[in-house]
Amino acid sequence: MSSQPNQTFNNLLIGSDCISIHSHPIKNKILCAEKDFEPGDIIFQEIAVTAIKLSNANNNDIHHSESTIFSAIIESLPIVPLARNLIYAAIHLTSLHSSKLDLIKCQHGNPLDKYLYFAPEGQAIAALTHYYFEIKKELSISDLFSCSTILDLLAIWMTNYSTAGSQYHAIYYYWSRMNHDCKPNTHHGTTGFTTVDNQTMPIRTVRAIQKIHKGDELTISYLVGETNFQSTQMRKDYLSLHYQFTCSCSRCSTENEIISDALIYQYKTLEYQIHNNYQQISLNDLLTFKSKLSLNNWLYYSISQLICTVAADSSVDFDNNHYRTAVIECALQCVKHLRNIYLQSPDAPTNEYYSIFLADKYEQLADFLPPSDSQKISSYKEAIKIRKICQGKSKKIDNLNEEISQVKKTASAN
Ligand SMILES: C[S@@+](CC[C@H](N)C(=O)[O-])C[C@H]1O[C@@H](n2cnc3c(N)ncnc32)[C@H](O)[C@@H]1O
């Protein structure tokens, strides 16, 4: 099921001349950059083609939620959101206007067969198949939708959707064309919602996290949390199981596998040492390790957390002042690097999670810096700025302002 819609579709808010879709012999379609980008640049911003609201109660976006058979299936499924969401997605797809369906049909979908062996996805698919004719009758689903059509659409949905905030799953015309790389060159996030035809639609923003040249493929990481820190083989197994491809990115290539796995091992060792015995970590180890991380944001983010932990632990007897200053400096560099990537534009944080993390870290590190260090004030200011941008999510702003004036007084007295 791969065709191109014949009408022009443009849900891009930013970047219509920055990206293009191309064919690829292995990956099917790929998204490419039409110009150069620096880390932190917005590449494109897009409104979803369609989205479903996931909460079971008061689900206005699912028109057919009163259906008895539909509710019965949902109730009979295991209490696993994924299984329920699949049924919601299937029913949602049959309620879409044909022009939207055409847009979705041109996306790539991996076969669903493999899911039949897994719970809960398999149970959802089996329940849908089993009850399909009753559902169809009860919901007056058009004859255009046979059970196999629905399963094809569901395959596309599962291969291409993304969560948007905590309540929505959505499909995007451009974003859903982005392939995986274990060392991706972009970062993405839901940066707002808008209303289209009385439906809530998420807005997705994609930013560069590496230098990108015109013609480069734009990639994201499909790995979640801890999978980023697994060995090459484990990452490959995960991607093959969930997305049905064998990863051949630079981090997974044969030449880099050993280096990549050694880095992960080093990271794990460092994490263990930091949580168990600070004194064993030499500053050199820390700095050398940090210098290797520049291209992987997940590691960068995690190492920032670890280094901040070292800097923050007041129980550590930092006899060696030089060590302490260097650890704080190292942590500040990490935090600044992350700030440049995730909050490049000073008035538009892309991701609340990172914003709060960064504001907290700036504040924490400022606490540790001596009053004579000019970075103390600038770090507090950075924390305040980020929190203010987050629309006053922090209650600490006033305290911080007071603290800054105190610090200024102390610094000028020195
Ligand atoms: C969200 S879609 C990405 C766009 C897709 N290539 C297309 O043609 O529509 C995800 C699917 O693309 C393919 N894919 C993604 N990353 C890949 C990679 N690094 N190598 C090979 N195939 C990949 C897999 O089939 C995966 O299930």
Side-chain angles (χ1 to χ4, degrees), residues 18-37:
C18 297
I19 50 173
S20 57
I21 297 173
H22 297 268
S23 293
H24 185 277
I26 297 169
K27 303 179 187 177
N28 192 31
K29 298 286 182 198
I30 59 175
L31 192 70
C32 293
E34 282 294 309
K35 53 184 232 184
D36 296 349
F37 293 98

Side-chain angles (χ1 to χ4, degrees), residues 27-29 108 110 159-160 176-177 179-180 222 243:
K27 303 179 187 177
N28 192 31
K29 298 286 182 198
H108 173 73
N110 288 326
T159 312
N160 294 283
S176 293
R177 292 300 195 181
N179 292 301
H180 165 84
Y222 297 179
Y243 298 96

